Amino acid sequence: MRKLEEVRKDIDAIDDQMSELFFKRMNLSKEVAEIKAINDIPVTDNGREREIVYRLSKKLPEEYSLYLKEFYETVFFTGKAYQSAVMNSTSETVKKLNEIISSGLKNFPSTATIACQGVLGANSGTAAKKLFAISDLTFVKSFEGVFSAVQSGLCEYGVLPIENSTAGSVLEVYDLMRKHDFHIVRSVRIKIRHCLASNAKASFKDIKTVISHPQAILQCDDFIKSNNLTAETDENTAVAAKRVSSGNDLSVAAICSEECAKIYGLKILKTDIQNNDANFTRFICIKKDLNVFKGADRISVMTSLSHEPGSLNKILGRFSALGLNLTKIESRPIAGADFEFMFYFDFEGDITDKSVQNLIASMENQSENFVFLGAYKEII
């Protein structure tokens, strides 16, 4: 048996040859891209890719066939990524973005009318105040109501929770973003500290039931279980606090913020009852029209992928090839379609970068269900 160093020396020699062949192949890919651009031919040709893999697999022992297929899928992906860059791909979304960019990106406004779900004291209101120096808040009953308020022109912006570090994503908001085709213009992270708040006459031993928003209940379920309390859901943490303040049942308490408890004159029985002290909720600021403001460094999109093995891996590879950091992936089933999903991607990137625009264009052109959610800055 040969020594490891001897085998590696042979591998190095093959790698040198492969590097030279890679260079030649990429130059040919560039020629193909130029021809495709002139003749308006799509970058992807699945039929030709299958033909190549089938032809080459016949030349190898069967045990290598699947590995050859995996290897060439990477080769095809790399070539298509390079072709997309050479062709300077475009799409309807990219055209709109370039119109905004060419007119000059503006500063994010300091004053705004904003719709939030809940009542005074809701965490969405706290997020709105962090986003805008001067804010005129309108509280509505539901997340759907936030979209309606912006759609009707009652408010210019809406602020909604999108995910929590403990309880996960607010899936209803993702679904509503797709339904209404609104756009994210900024996001903010707020540290969430929950307390147990009750009627002024109650004591901790009186409490049997806690009420709050489902997300807040999830964020505090360790405390709820350890104290044998019954949890009931309400529209919002602030709505729950208001409900407790207007009632006389000493056995019922709300899970809300300390600020919210003070607003409604509640007695704070316990503080910091959340499962995790590093409990943050991310809020998005939405607008009806597509807008990009100065400093935007995060992009959110959603798209459907082909229902075939490796489709998600291929798109993840494109982000990796461009050096784009994915900060979130979420999947949601497509209504009326069996076992088909929309994928939500958040990633760090400059929307003025041509390679980023090429990626967005190719995703949009290759999917029947592509939605550009926004290019924006996140406030921490």
Side-chain angles (χ1 to χ4, degrees), residues 207-238:
I207 307 304
K208 306 297 180 188
T209 302
V210 294
I211 58 174
S212 195
H213 187 274
Q215 283 271 328
I217 290 172
L218 279 174
Q219 294 163 28
C220 303
D221 60 358
D222 288 347
F223 175 84
I224 294 169
K225 291 173 185 175
S226 64
N227 289 284
N228 297 314
L229 300 173
T230 300
E232 293 182 5
T233 62
D234 212 326
E235 300 168 7
N236 186 275
T237 54

Side-chain angles (χ1 to χ4, degrees), residues 55-69:
R55 174 174 58 84
L56 295 177
S57 66
K58 292 295 183 181
K59 300 180 179 181
L60 297 177
E62 188 174 350
E63 63 178 301
Y64 296 120
S65 295
L66 291 178
Y67 299 103
L68 176 85
K69 180 176 182 290

Side-chain angles (χ1 to χ4, degrees), residues 305-339:
L305 300 178
S306 57
H307 193 50
E308 60 183 39
S311 59
L312 177 58
N313 186 55
K314 289 176 183 176
I315 192 68
L316 294 180
R318 297 204 64 179
F319 285 105
S320 177
L322 292 172
L324 299 173
N325 181 35
L326 272 169
T327 57
K328 183 176 178 63
I329 304 175
E330 186 77 39
S331 65
R332 293 290 290 149
I334 298 175
D338 291 338
F339 303 107

Side-chain angles (χ1 to χ4, degrees), residues 93-239:
T93 296
V94 170
K95 289 176 184 176
K96 292 177 183 177
L97 287 168
N98 279 322
E99 287 176 5
I100 294 170
I101 293 167
S102 62
S103 64
L105 301 185
K106 299 177 181 178
N107 291 321
F108 192 74
S110 58
T111 304
T113 55
I114 309 155
C116 302
Q117 187 265 340
V119 294
L120 184 64
N123 288 316
S124 293
T126 303
K129 291 175 184 176
K130 189 171 181 179
L131 286 165
F132 298 93
I134 303 172
S135 54
D136 179 11
L137 303 182
T138 297
F139 289 98
V140 295
K141 190 174 183 179
S142 64
F143 292 149
E144 178 81 57
V146 173
F147 286 88
S148 297
V150 178
Q151 180 72 51
S152 66
L154 176 64
C155 297
E156 189 175 5
Y157 299 93
V159 171
L160 296 151
I162 195 72
E163 64 178 313
N164 175 264
S165 57
T166 301
S169 299
V170 186
L171 300 178
E172 182 185 353
V173 174
Y174 277 104
D175 292 339
L176 287 168
M177 284 296 294
R178 182 186 175 206
K179 174 184 175 182
H180 290 277
D181 193 24
F182 277 31
H183 299 91
I184 304 171
V185 293
R186 188 143 291 201
S187 65
V188 62
R189 286 201 301 166
I190 300 291
K191 185 169 185 179
I192 304 297
R193 298 178 59 194
H194 292 298
C195 73
L196 186 72
S198 70
N199 187 290
K201 296 180 181 179
S203 62
F204 182 66
K205 61 183 175 62
D206 296 321
I207 307 304
K208 306 297 180 188
T209 302
V210 294
I211 58 174
S212 195
H213 187 274
Q215 283 271 328
I217 290 172
L218 279 174
Q219 294 163 28
C220 303
D221 60 358
D222 288 347
F223 175 84
I224 294 169
K225 291 173 185 175
S226 64
N227 289 284
N228 297 314
L229 300 173
T230 300
E232 293 182 5
T233 62
D234 212 326
E235 300 168 7
N236 186 275
T237 54
V239 171

